[in-house]
Amino acid sequence: MEKPKFSLSTLKSTRSALHMLQIVMCVVTIAVSCVWDRPFHTYWIYCMVVWGLCPIISLIITIVEVFLIHKLILVFCMDWDDFTTGMAMMASLCTFSCTAMFANFYICQKCIWGWMVTILSAVCCVLYCVETFRDKCDATRSATYVSVLPGFIKILEAFVACIILISLIGYMGQPALLWCIVAYAVPLPLTLVTIIVNILTKLKNCLPFSIDCFTMLLLLISVLLYISAAILWPIYSFRGNPRPQDCPGNSCIWSIQFVVTFMTYVNLGLYVADLVLTCLGICGFKRSQ
């Protein structure tokens, strides 16, 4: 079995250079955002977490690949190519959402810091999209779960759920809306568990039950929860609460509640599509490779 060792050629590769650029740009973005004195809104906190986690993941991936540790990981637990491509896809989605949030909430004609952070975040997003595009176009890289349709749908489900959770507002004192929060929160860890189990191939093969049947059960629970939220959230958020005449998209509670409603139906559609694909897989209708 090959032992971990330093690989200078890997460090000098285009892939490592791209990772270094991602790390530098994310660190610069988070530094500029910290210097700018803004209130600790949930969207701002979300962006800071994304810009903090993405370079850490890029750094870990670079260290693992430079020291060839990924060859051991491939033997013992998971498909490294599939995992890293999935991480690049997730980072692309998250940095894009941060760019959109800053452009909507913190840009104005005199907000030079808002413009700077938005542009820097957009550069981060482009860098992660370039990595995703390179990985998907590389025929030598394997794609088993995260970087193909079933896993990508799971990534989208988790991503949309995060956007919903950071957008929740106006629910205090309303039991129906509090139930909606539960309905939004429960499927997220279920989705993450499904992703982790499918990534860790050794663990998946050791399970005493079918992972597809287990996934279908979790998806059924998620669909039922989202159906309840899709009914209750719009009713109790907008009943007797028409859109105000003065309702700018970046500071209006009604608009943010509408975002939650829209994302609820998006994620419900994703979970239903995921459930249908899983059922087809169990019934023998496999996706063509």
Side-chain angles (χ1 to χ4, degrees), residues 9-20:
S9 60
T10 302
L11 183 61
K12 292 182 177 179
S13 66
T14 304
R15 178 175 174 81
S16 292
L18 186 58
H19 286 164
M20 292 300 105

Side-chain angles (χ1 to χ4, degrees), residues 54-201:
C54 285
I56 292 175
I57 294 174
S58 295
L59 180 60
I60 293 173
I61 290 174
T62 302
I63 293 173
V64 168
E65 293 181 346
V66 165
F67 287 93
L68 304 179
I69 303 173
H70 62 288
K71 294 186 177 181
L72 295 178
I73 294 176
L74 180 61
V75 171
F76 284 109
C77 59
M78 67 180 180
D79 185 339
W80 181 254
D81 288 346
D82 183 63
F83 171 75
T84 53
T85 302
M87 291 300 98
M89 294 164 64
M90 189 66 185
S92 301
L93 287 171
C94 290
T95 50
F96 172 77
S97 65
C98 290
T99 304
M101 287 175 187
F102 254 76
N104 184 57
F105 288 96
Y106 301 115
I107 277 187
C108 62
Q109 291 183 349
K110 298 181 180 180
C111 302
I112 182 64
W113 286 103
W115 283 100
M116 289 177 61
V117 174
T118 302
I119 292 172
L120 290 171
S121 181
V123 173
C124 295
C125 179
V126 170
L127 291 173
Y128 281 107
C129 288
V130 169
E131 181 183 359
T132 301
F133 180 77
R134 282 172 52 86
D135 287 352
K136 297 295 288 185
C137 293
D138 188 351
T140 63
R141 294 178 63 86
S142 59
T144 54
Y145 181 73
V146 182
S147 58
V148 293
L149 183 59
F152 183 61
I153 291 179
K154 287 286 189 300
I155 289 178
L156 287 176
E157 291 166 357
F159 170 73
V160 174
C162 290
I163 299 300
I164 291 174
L165 291 173
I166 66 172
S167 301
L168 292 173
I169 193 172
Y171 53 81
M172 297 303 296
Q174 300 196 58
L177 296 185
L178 292 175
W179 164 255
C180 291
I181 295 177
V182 175
Y184 295 135
V186 170
L188 179 57
L190 299 181
T191 301
L192 295 177
V193 167
T194 305
I195 293 174
I196 292 171
V197 171
N198 279 280
I199 288 176
L200 300 176
T201 53

Side-chain angles (χ1 to χ4, degrees), residues 26 37 50 73 77 101 119 132 139 143 180 184 187 206 209 218 237 277:
C26 284
D37 184 21
V50 168
I73 294 176
C77 59
M101 287 175 187
I119 292 172
T132 301
C180 291
Y184 295 135
C206 292
F209 52 84
L218 298 185
S237 293
L277 289 174

Side-chain angles (χ1 to χ4, degrees), residues 41-54:
H41 190 274
T42 52
Y43 290 127
W44 185 87
I45 296 173
Y46 166 81
C47 293
M48 297 294 283
V49 171
V50 168
W51 294 325
L53 285 179
C54 285

